[in-house]
Structures are given as C-alpha cells and as structure tokens.
C-alpha cells in the first residue's frame, strides 16, 4: 500500500481510540505496560517537549519498558534551518531499533508531525565503523570513512560529528552519544580505546571496542551529492545555476538542505508506519484531527510565504 499523507491520516483516524489527557497516564496506560501482549505501542503527543515528559513518567511506572523516542524535526517546513543533530539521532535510533529487533515490544513516543513526516530508508544507512583493541585499522581508511559518515576534521573535538588526529591519537565524537572516544594507535594497530569526556578533554574508562554508527538522516558524501545533483536537474533542468545546487555540489552545509531529503537517496524515504511490526496499537493524547489540520495549514502558509519571498527576490 502506498503511504502518502492522506493514507497515513486515514490510517490514524481508522484506529478508534479516545483522546486521553497526559494527567491520566497512570490509570490508563498502566494496563498496557504490564499486560501480557506482543503489541508495540505508539503514543502520539502534541510536541517534542511532551515526548520527554511522557518518557519519564513511563520509566517511573515501568523501569524495564523499552522506550523509543521519535520526535519531529525542530524546524519549520520550507524554513532556512535544519533539524538538530540530537533530534536526528533519536529518529535514526528508533527506526534502526525497530528493524533490528522485530520481536521486541517497544513503546514508541512520537508526535503527530513526526508520524506523517518521512525519514531515511535504513537501506541507505552506512555500515558501522568498528575499532577493536589490538587490531589493525588503516588510519587513512579510517579518515575517509569518518568523512563519508559526515564527520568534520578539526584540531580539537568539542561537539558531535567532529574528529581530530594528533599524532597517534584520535579523538572522535559520534552523534547521539553521551561520550566520545580517544583511540591511541601504534602505526595502524589500535593500542587502546578510552571513553572521552568532551568538556574536560580527558579520557575516562577504557573499553575494548568503539562502534561509530550513522545517527543522522542526511550525509553529504560523494554518493549522496551525486544522487542529489542528478535528481535536482531532472526536476529543474535550468537549476544548474541555482545557489543551492552549486553549494551542495561542493558539499557545503546548506541551511535548508534537509527539505530536499528525498533527492539525496535512490531508495524511497519511509514513514514510521513502515518500520512498525504487524501488531501495534496507537494511542494519542490530544485532538489528533485538529493537530493534523493545523499542521497542513502551516505547511501551506510556509510554502506560500517562501514562494512569495522568492518571487520578490527574483524581481
């Protein structure tokens, strides 16, 4: 079945659940958390702030609950901003967990906007970079893989998606992680791996392995840029002179590049519905119909405003 905005909305509306207020969480959700069922639960709230609040309440009720957060992008459609790295990490982690652990029962907390906004197809996620103590890994190959994964080479690592080589020492900060890694080499052999405290720039606990995964929805590498340029010119044959086309071709981090997400991949984007197991139940905590209508209205207003801006700019 083709899943577009209308289909997704109808799918939600066909599930006849009453609206439930957040303050009734304990008395209503408790049976679902403790019942002997194989159903995954999808809890739909109004905004990203409520996701965190609800997750804390569920963790208090059921500490063993497997909670996945799937927030909406923290930027407006057609805006000149991109979703934050933290938001992307949560979204990618959710779809990977659902695909890799099909027998687990999850509690997925999302928003109405996130539910109908498509994300990356897991088929387009790059393979993990795994480094192990006492094993060899070419530093040149490692550098190329980190760049391919969207990392930026810097002198000192202070934030996500940065790495720094200083002699035989590599500092790297994966996206979506609470800590970085400090990896010491002897030639191409990994001598030691420690967790890295970014604030103090000091290494902490020693570990045997460092796994660096793709935790963002869009990478600018040779493959994605080539796909973008090809698809963009098919849609806009005269677009070779467009600023966004030229900047992305040079792998520059254009502010609104995420709104062209589907042009960067050959595989079709997927909605959260397409990662859910066969058995799941949706519960929502606000007026879903009116929230979706408001979202569609905002999309139209944003589109018209951006169109008018471009028309005025060109004139």
């Amino acid at each position: 079945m083709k899943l577009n905005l209308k289909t997704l909305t109808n799918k939600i509306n066909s599930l006849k659940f009453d609206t439930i207020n957040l303050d009734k969480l304990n008395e209503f959700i408790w049976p679902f958390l403790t019942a002997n069922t194989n159903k995954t639960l999808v809890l739909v709230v109004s905004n990203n702030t409520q996701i965190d609040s609800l997750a804390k309440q569920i963790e208090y009720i059921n500490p063993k609950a497997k909670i996945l957060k799937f927030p909406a992008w923290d930027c407006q459609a057609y805006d000149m901003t991109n979703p934050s790295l933290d938001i992307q990490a949560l979204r990618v982690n959710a779809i990977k967990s659902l695909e890799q652990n099909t027998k687990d029962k999850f509690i997925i907390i999302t928003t109405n906007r996130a539910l109908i906004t498509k994300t990356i197809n897991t088929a387009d996620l790059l393979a993990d970079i795994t480094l192990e103590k006492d094993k060899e890994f070419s530093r040149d190959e490692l550098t190329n893989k980190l760049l391919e994964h969207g990392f930026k080479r810097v002198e000192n690592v202070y934030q996500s998606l940065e790495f720094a080589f200083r002699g035989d020492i590599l500092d790297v900060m994966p996206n979506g992680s609470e800590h970085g890694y400090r990896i010491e080499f002897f030639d191409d052999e990994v001598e030691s791996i420690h967790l890295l405290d970014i604030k103090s720039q000091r290494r902490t606990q020693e570990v045997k392995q460092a796994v660096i995964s793709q935790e963002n929805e869009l990478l600018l590498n040779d493959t994605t840029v080539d796909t973008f340029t090809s698809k963009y010119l098919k849609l806009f044959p005269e677009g070779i002179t467009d600023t966004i086309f030229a900047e992305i071709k040079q792998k520059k981090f254009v502010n609104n590049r995420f709104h062209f997400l589907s042009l960067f991949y050959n595989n079709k984007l997927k909605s959260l519905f397409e990662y859910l197991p066969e058995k799941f139940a949706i519960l929502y905590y606000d007026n879903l119909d009116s929230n979706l209508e408001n979202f569609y209205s905002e999309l139209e207003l944003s589109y018209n405003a951006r169109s008018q801006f471009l028309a005025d700019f060109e004139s």
Side-chain angles (χ1 to χ4, degrees):
M1 179 176 64
K2 186 177 181 180
L3 293 174
N4 52 35
L5 287 178
K6 184 176 181 180
T7 305
L8 293 178
T9 304
N10 290 338
K11 192 176 183 73
I12 294 170
N13 290 338
S14 68
L15 296 165
K16 298 178 181 179
F17 292 102
D18 292 330
T19 301
I20 305 155
N21 294 327
L22 280 173
D23 60 2
K24 294 182 180 179
L25 171 71
N26 289 3
E27 63 185 73
F28 191 89
I29 297 299
W30 172 247
F32 286 90
L33 296 177
T34 57
N36 184 20
T37 175
N38 60 357
K39 275 191 177 181
T40 284
L41 297 180
V42 181
L43 310 181
V44 186
V45 295
S46 297
N47 54 61
N48 289 351
T49 302
Q50 286 185 339
I51 290 179
D52 293 330
S53 175
L54 184 55
K56 290 178 181 178
Q57 293 180 61
I58 293 174
E59 287 170 351
Y60 178 78
I61 295 170
N62 185 357
K64 295 183 179 180
K66 296 179 179 179
I67 299 173
L68 297 176
K69 299 178 183 179
F70 191 77
W73 283 354
D74 51 347
C75 60
Q76 297 297 321
Y78 307 106
D79 200 0
M80 295 299 291
T81 56
N82 292 312
S84 66
L85 290 174
D86 290 341
I87 291 290
Q88 293 180 60
L90 289 171
R91 289 166 59 86
V92 172
N93 176 66
I95 60 175
K96 287 199 298 186
S97 297
L98 286 168
E99 186 167 84
Q100 295 169 4
N101 305 281
T102 55
K103 294 183 179 180
D104 288 349
K105 186 186 77 172
F106 289 104
I107 298 174
I108 304 161
I109 312 177
T110 186
T111 71
N112 44 68
R113 297 188 179 200
L115 201 59
I116 60 175
T117 303
K118 293 188 177 183
T119 184
I120 187 173
N121 190 318
T122 51
D124 287 310
L125 292 174
L126 297 177
D128 293 347
I129 303 172
T130 303
L131 297 102
E132 297 181 82
K133 184 180 178 181
D134 298 328
K135 292 191 176 181
E136 290 192 354
F137 201 121
S138 166
R139 283 191 276 181
D140 289 338
E141 181 185 356
L142 178 56
T143 297
N144 290 334
K145 283 185 175 294
L146 288 171
L147 292 172
E148 186 182 21
H149 273 69
F151 283 80
K152 181 180 179 181
R153 188 165 191 168
V154 295
E155 291 187 4
N156 293 288
V157 173
Y158 292 111
Q159 57 188 7
S160 296
L161 292 180
E162 290 185 343
F163 76 98
F165 260 116
R166 298 189 305 279
D168 293 327
I169 298 175
L170 167 68
D171 286 350
V172 59
M173 182 63 188
N175 188 31
S177 177
E178 296 180 355
H179 55 75
Y181 292 107
R182 175 161 290 170
I183 302 165
E184 297 184 34
F185 287 85
F186 180 77
D187 197 11
D188 282 338
E189 182 179 323
V190 177
E191 267 198 330
S192 68
I193 305 173
H194 289 81
L195 301 184
L196 175 66
D197 185 309
I198 295 298
K199 291 182 179 179
S200 67
Q201 291 290 299
R202 294 181 179 276
R203 69 183 194 181
T204 56
Q205 177 186 349
E206 185 173 12
V207 294
K208 294 182 179 180
Q209 185 183 75
V211 179
I212 301 169
S213 304
Q214 180 182 337
E215 299 290 348
N216 42 338
E217 293 172 88
L218 174 57
L219 300 177
L220 291 183
N221 54 39
D222 290 341
T223 301
T224 57
V225 169
D226 287 346
T227 303
F228 171 84
T229 54
S230 175
K231 285 189 171 184
Y232 191 89
L233 291 179
K234 284 183 180 179
L235 289 173
F236 312 105
E238 306 299 324
I240 195 168
T241 59
D242 292 351
T243 301
I244 188 170
F245 177 85
E247 291 185 344
I248 288 179
K249 192 173 182 180
Q250 298 175 45
K251 297 181 183 176
K252 292 184 178 180
F253 289 90
V254 180
N255 284 336
N256 62 342
R257 64 189 182 278
F258 275 80
H259 303 301
F260 295 87
L261 186 62
S262 63
L263 301 186
F264 287 89
Y265 299 109
N266 286 317
N267 291 304
K268 291 184 177 181
L269 302 182
K270 287 187 174 184
S271 73
L272 179 61
F273 279 111
E274 293 171 272
Y275 290 105
L276 293 175
E278 289 185 5
K279 295 182 179 181
F280 67 92
I282 292 182
L283 302 175
Y284 54 90
Y285 293 81
D286 210 336
N287 193 325
L288 189 59
D289 290 338
S290 63
N291 279 336
L292 290 174
E293 289 175 3
N294 290 338
F295 180 43
Y296 296 150
S297 296
E298 288 178 17
L299 286 176
E300 186 175 5
L301 288 172
S302 297
Y303 175 79
N304 291 335
R306 179 59 58 186
S307 298
Q308 186 61 50
F309 172 81
L310 292 175
D312 293 342
F313 180 79
E314 291 174 355
S315 62

